[in-house]
């Protein structure tokens, strides 16, 4: 939808690397730090906050998750 496309665009403009924007879902309230990498098929929901340098692997589903600086999140990780 338009809202989620705007969210993707905002993060791309702020220096987030999104390897597959068309398969990435980011809710508007999600906060993403600098130098974060999002692999394909990632879903970020709720009050998720990704700290600087976090790497989110494919198929991860994060709901109101708070990462550490430079954390590597495993493929298929789901916190809720």
């Amino acid at each position: 939808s338009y809202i989620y496309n705007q969210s993707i665009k905002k993060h791309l403009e702020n220096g987030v690397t999104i390897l597959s924007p068309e398969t990435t879902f980011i809710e508007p309230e999600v906060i993403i730090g600098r130098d974060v990498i999002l692999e394909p098929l990632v879903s970020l929901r709720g009050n998720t906050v990704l700290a600087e340098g976090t790497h989110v692997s494919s198929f991860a589903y994060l709901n109101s998750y708070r990462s550490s600086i430079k954390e590597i999140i495993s493929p298929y990780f789901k916190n809720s």
Side-chain angles (χ1 to χ4, degrees), residues 27-75:
E27 288 188 337
E29 57 273 7
V30 171
I31 298 170
I32 303 177
R34 294 179 301 147
D35 300 323
V36 169
I37 298 172
L38 302 178
E39 292 186 5
L41 300 162
V42 165
S43 182
L44 306 176
R45 297 175 180 270
N47 295 313
T48 293
V49 178
L50 299 180
E52 181 177 334
T54 298
H55 186 124
V56 183
S57 299
S58 293
F59 300 98
Y61 178 95
L62 306 176
N63 186 16
S64 297
Y65 183 83
R66 292 188 174 270
S67 76
S68 302
I69 293 174
K70 296 187 178 180
E71 181 174 347
I72 297 173
I73 297 171
S74 302

Side-chain angles (χ1 to χ4, degrees), residues 1 4-5 8-9 12 18-26 38-42:
S1 82
Y4 299 113
N5 288 336
I8 296 275
K9 182 179 176 187
L12 286 170
I18 303 175
L19 299 180
S20 180
E22 62 278 1
T23 67
T24 300
F25 181 84
I26 304 173
L38 302 178
E39 292 186 5
L41 300 162
V42 165

